[in-house]
């Protein structure tokens, strides 16, 4: 299994541009997550999904959109990029629900995004 | 979720045990203690979790005090590859769909 894969690995955007960060997992996990990590900080949850067609907001959803049309894919969309969105973005998935007593999440390698 | 307090950084000599503390004085009875780590430029990796009893797996041991107000993650023989940021997370379970909340963690440096 490839696990959780993310593309691209690096990206530079100009202010106001749009882009989609791709995330795919091949573990047949129902639960998927998007986090961002600013330099020297912990991860902050942006959005998560408990199954195809179902998404919910995390701590910092403003400026982002998600969709979940298949179990495998969970893309993150930035509509109007701003410098405050410069960060490393991690996608993750889990077999068990986010609220379960065993919530091991499997993380992708991350996408490093810079908005200038 | 109960909050946790971890030292911002620690050093450990290679081959020695690394003991990473975590305070969670407001933890309640149904809240679990989770540990993840993040090696530089990679996504976080699950290490271990526990409720009351001490836990051990192939990566580490988790010691939870009897009053559950603090815990210690032990890496028995630290190697250079264990250099990472270690996150202690407390969460209730079962708790609907509330995902994990990551703090700043402890930056462990293993020194040769």
């Amino acid at each position: 299994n490839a696990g959780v894969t993310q593309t691209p690995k690096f990206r530079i955007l100009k202010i106001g541009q749009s882009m989609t960060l791709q995330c795919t997992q091949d573990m047949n996990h129902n639960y998927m997550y998007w986090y961002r990590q600013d330099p020297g900080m912990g991860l902050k949850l942006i959005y998560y999904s408990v199954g195809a067609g179902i998404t919910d907001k995390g701590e910092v959803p403003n400026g982002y959109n998600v969709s979940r049309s298949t179990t495998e894919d969970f893309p993150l969309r930035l509509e109007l990029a701003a410098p405050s969105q410069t960060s490393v973005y991690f996608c993750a998935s889990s077999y068990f629900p986010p609220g379960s007593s065993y919530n091991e999440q499997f993380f992708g390698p991350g996408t490093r995004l810079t908005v200038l | 979720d109960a909050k946790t307090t971890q030292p911002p950084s620690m050093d450990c000599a290679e081959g020695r045990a690394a003991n990473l503390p975590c305070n969670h004085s407001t933890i309640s009875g149904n809240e679990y203690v989770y540990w993840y780590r993040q090696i530089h430029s990679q996504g976080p990796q699950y290490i271990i979790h526990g409720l009351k009893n001490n836990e051990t797996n192939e990566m580490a041991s988790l010691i939870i005090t009897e009053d559950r107000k603090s815990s210690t993650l032990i890496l028995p023989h630290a190697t250079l590859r264990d250099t990472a940021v270690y996150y202690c997370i407390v969460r209730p379970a079962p708790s609907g769909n509330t995902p994990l909340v990551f703090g700043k963690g402890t930056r462990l440096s293993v020194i040769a």
Side-chain angles (χ1 to χ4, degrees), chain A residues 4-7 21-25 32-34 72-76 90-93 108:
Chain A
V4 180
T5 56
Q6 293 182 238
T7 57
L21 282 67
Q22 301 292 344
C23 175
T24 300
Q25 53 90 10
M32 297 186 73
Y33 316 82
W34 273 107
E72 295 78 18
D73 301 307
F74 190 38
L76 178 72
F90 290 101
C91 179
S93 71

Side-chain angles (χ1 to χ4, degrees), chain A residues 31 33 35 37 40-45 48 50 59 90 97-110 112, chain B residues 32 34 36 38 40-46 49 87 91-105 107:
Chain A
Y31 310 97
Y33 316 82
Y35 295 88
Q37 185 174 35
M41 306 295 287
L43 282 74
K44 291 190 180 298
L45 183 67
Y48 66 101
V50 299
E59 299 173 78
F90 290 101
S100 69
S101 60
Y102 181 53
N103 186 229
E104 178 179 3
Q105 295 184 23
F106 297 83
F107 284 79
R112 189 175 297 274
Chain B
Y32 282 70
Y34 277 77
Y36 277 74
Q38 186 176 21
H40 182 62
S41 297
Q42 298 181 21
Q45 175 190 25
Y46 166 86
H49 77 287
Y87 298 98
R91 58 160 301 135
S95 59
N97 287 325
T98 306
L100 298 172
V101 176
F102 289 79
K104 292 187 179 181
R107 182 173 298 277

